[in-house]
Amino acid sequence: MAYYCYLLECADGTYYCGWTKDVQRRLDTHNKGRGAKYTRMRRPVTLVYYEELPDRSEAMRREHKLKQKTREQKALLIQKFSEGSDERSI
């Protein structure tokens, strides 16, 4: 079963990072105000990045690494993702 690490852009321009088994369901949950406390007051949120990982522990590890990145590094990753690049090394 695949797991995903994802980045959301909140209405205030900040980023939120998380992991899930179902990206669309999780995005809907965030936008209904039933997701993370951080996103509840920053709706609507937009999915700007995601990647598939083989298991939960890998998804959690990737989430941790992404949370350590600067805003600029996250923006570069999002830009590459939106351009269709497979580059995930940031």
Side-chain angles (χ1 to χ4, degrees), residues 24-82:
Q24 186 59 54
R25 182 177 57 87
R26 189 68 177 142
L27 177 62
D28 293 342
T29 301
H30 282 294
N31 276 320
K32 290 176 182 173
R34 295 192 319 253
K37 191 175 189 178
Y38 184 84
T39 61
R40 287 182 198 154
M41 299 302 290
R42 294 171 170 85
R43 294 181 291 153
V45 297
T46 306
L47 180 66
V48 292
Y49 173 83
Y50 69 92
E51 66 181 277
E52 185 175 330
L53 296 146
D55 56 46
R56 185 175 68 118
S57 63
E58 287 296 319
M60 292 174 77
R61 267 194 279 280
R62 181 62 172 155
E63 175 191 19
H64 180 73
K65 282 189 167 200
L66 285 178
K67 285 182 175 181
Q68 294 176 339
K69 303 300 178 189
T70 65
R71 178 170 177 77
E72 291 76 22
Q73 289 172 319
K74 291 173 188 173
L76 181 60
L77 183 65
I78 292 164
Q79 179 184 355
K80 288 181 179 183
F81 179 76
S82 66

Side-chain angles (χ1 to χ4, degrees), residues 4-20:
Y4 300 87
C5 183
Y6 63 90
L7 282 172
L8 303 176
E9 184 170 9
C10 300
D12 64 359
T14 59
Y15 295 129
Y16 173 81
C17 184
W19 66 271
T20 186

